[in-house]
């Protein structure tokens, strides 16, 4: 549940870089996603036609502040997005490093505090840093979106232990792995760790077959979630035979 909204699908899908509008719609449908992200900057470039296109998907929109590098940019973009898309949901991005697209934690917390006070439902794109997570929750956020790896890199869960620790530290907070997921197996791994959802874009949009890849991600996320709920076996340092020795024939 995110800000009081129950969702069936645990996959959130981005809407950029697809080869055509029709492929985008088919990929959304194949994925089973119920939440799609959209950039205000793309809406401004394409006009109302892009908004009309997304309406056909019947998904909930999660506008983002992609491309913002300062507190002021992010807050202003969020306010504009609320007016354009008619939703209080906002994926808050404040980029602090041009090469890695790592979020600026100081500007991020500052912007989250202002937007939460203004009634926004903020989904902050952050790192797996526990202190930053605490500050975002104190600012009013009820969801955290740690990155798996740099945006568009496809590296998967680069800091596996850090993400596992974050999940344990915030057991009752909805956590969404956002960015860096490049393969269905990586999305399944995030779900196996106990994360509540995965948000991705490039791995589907730039695939040879985006519709097929979207379907694969939807199934992988479901499998990972079911694996987590069923209870994964613990890793062992040594082998452990699955067949008992008792009852085997003894050869003299």
């Amino acid at each position: 549940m995110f800000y009081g909204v129950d969702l069936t699908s645990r996959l959130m899908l981005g809407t950029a870089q697809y080869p055509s509008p029709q492929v985008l719609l088919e990929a959304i449908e194949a994925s089973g996603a119920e939440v799609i992200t959209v950039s205000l900057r793309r809406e401004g470039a394409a006009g109302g036609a892009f908004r009309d296109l997304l309406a056909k998907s019947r998904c909930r929109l999660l506008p983002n502040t992609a491309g913002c590098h300062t507190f002021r940019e992010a807050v202003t973009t969020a306010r504009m997005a609320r007016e354009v898309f008619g939703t209080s949901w906002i994926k808050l991005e404040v980029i602090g490093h041009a090469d890695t697209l790592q979020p600026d934690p100081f500007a991020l917390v500052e912007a989250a505090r202002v937007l939460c006070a203004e009634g926004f439902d903020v989904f902050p794109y952050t790192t797996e840093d526990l202190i930053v997570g605490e500050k975002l929750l104190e600012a009013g956020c009820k969801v955290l979106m740690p990155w798996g790896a740099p945006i568009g890199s496809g590296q998967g869960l680069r800091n596996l232990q850090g993400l596992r620790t974050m999940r344990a530290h915030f057991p009752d907070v909805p956590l969404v792995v956002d960015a860096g997921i490049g393969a269905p197996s990586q999305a399944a791994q995030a779900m196996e760790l106990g994360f509540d959802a995965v948000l991705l874009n490039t791995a589907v949009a730039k695939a040879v077959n985006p519709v097929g890849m979207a379907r694969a991600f939807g199934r992988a996320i479901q499998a990972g979630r079911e694996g987590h709920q069923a209870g994964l076996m613990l890793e062992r340092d040594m082998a452990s035979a699955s067949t008992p020795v008792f009852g085997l024939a003894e050869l003299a």
Side-chain angles (χ1 to χ4, degrees):
M1 178 180 291
F2 300 102
Y3 290 103
V5 177
D6 278 320
L7 300 170
T8 301
S9 173
R10 295 178 180 273
L11 172 60
M12 299 179 179
L13 203 60
T15 57
Q17 306 183 74
Y18 286 82
S20 72
Q22 185 60 36
V23 170
L24 168 59
L25 288 179
E26 291 177 4
I28 293 172
E29 182 177 2
S31 73
E34 296 173 274
V35 175
I36 53 178
T37 63
V38 56
S39 169
L40 178 65
R41 298 188 180 199
R42 184 170 184 187
E43 164 66 17
F50 186 59
R51 199 183 333 160
D52 294 340
L53 173 71
L54 297 181
K56 295 179 181 178
S57 72
R58 299 185 299 278
C59 289
R60 189 178 188 96
L61 296 183
L62 177 59
N64 63 40
T65 61
C68 293
H69 291 260
T70 67
F71 157 80
R72 188 178 299 278
E73 275 186 310
V75 170
T76 300
T77 301
R79 290 168 177 164
M80 294 172 63
R82 180 162 61 179
E83 294 298 320
V84 171
F85 297 107
T87 177
S88 61
W89 280 24
I90 191 73
K91 179 190 170 188
L92 181 60
E93 298 181 33
V94 187
I95 301 303
H97 192 275
D99 292 332
T100 65
L101 300 182
Q102 180 173 331
D104 178 338
F106 306 103
L108 179 66
V109 172
E110 185 181 6
R113 183 174 293 110
V114 170
L115 293 175
C116 287
E118 294 183 4
F120 282 87
D121 298 322
V122 178
F123 293 70
Y125 164 61
T126 182
T127 66
E128 65 277 18
D129 188 288
L130 301 183
I131 305 304
V132 176
E134 293 279 11
K135 296 297 183 182
L136 288 168
L137 295 176
E138 291 173 4
C141 299
K142 296 182 180 178
V143 178
L144 297 175
M145 303 183 75
W147 66 348
I151 294 172
S153 69
Q155 296 177 18
L157 308 185
R158 198 165 63 168
N159 184 359
L160 191 60
Q161 188 55 45
L163 290 170
R164 183 180 287 115
T165 300
M166 190 176 202
R167 176 70 283 178
H169 189 73
F170 300 112
D172 301 320
V173 177
L175 300 181
V176 181
V177 171
D178 175 20
I181 297 295
S185 57
Q186 297 167 356
Q189 185 179 34
M191 300 307 296
E192 289 170 354
L193 290 178
F195 280 78
D196 297 279
V198 170
L199 193 159
L200 56 94
N201 187 160
T202 307
V204 170
K206 305 298 285 185
V208 175
N209 179 0
V211 177
M213 186 63 75
R215 184 177 298 109
F217 268 107
R219 292 172 176 172
I221 286 174
Q222 181 63 29
R225 178 64 180 179
E226 292 181 7
H228 171 72
Q229 291 178 318
L232 300 172
M233 68 173 288
L234 298 177
E235 294 183 2
R236 301 187 178 101
D237 292 331
M238 301 292 291
S240 177
S242 57
T243 303
V245 176
F246 179 77
L248 294 180
E250 293 185 13
L251 302 179

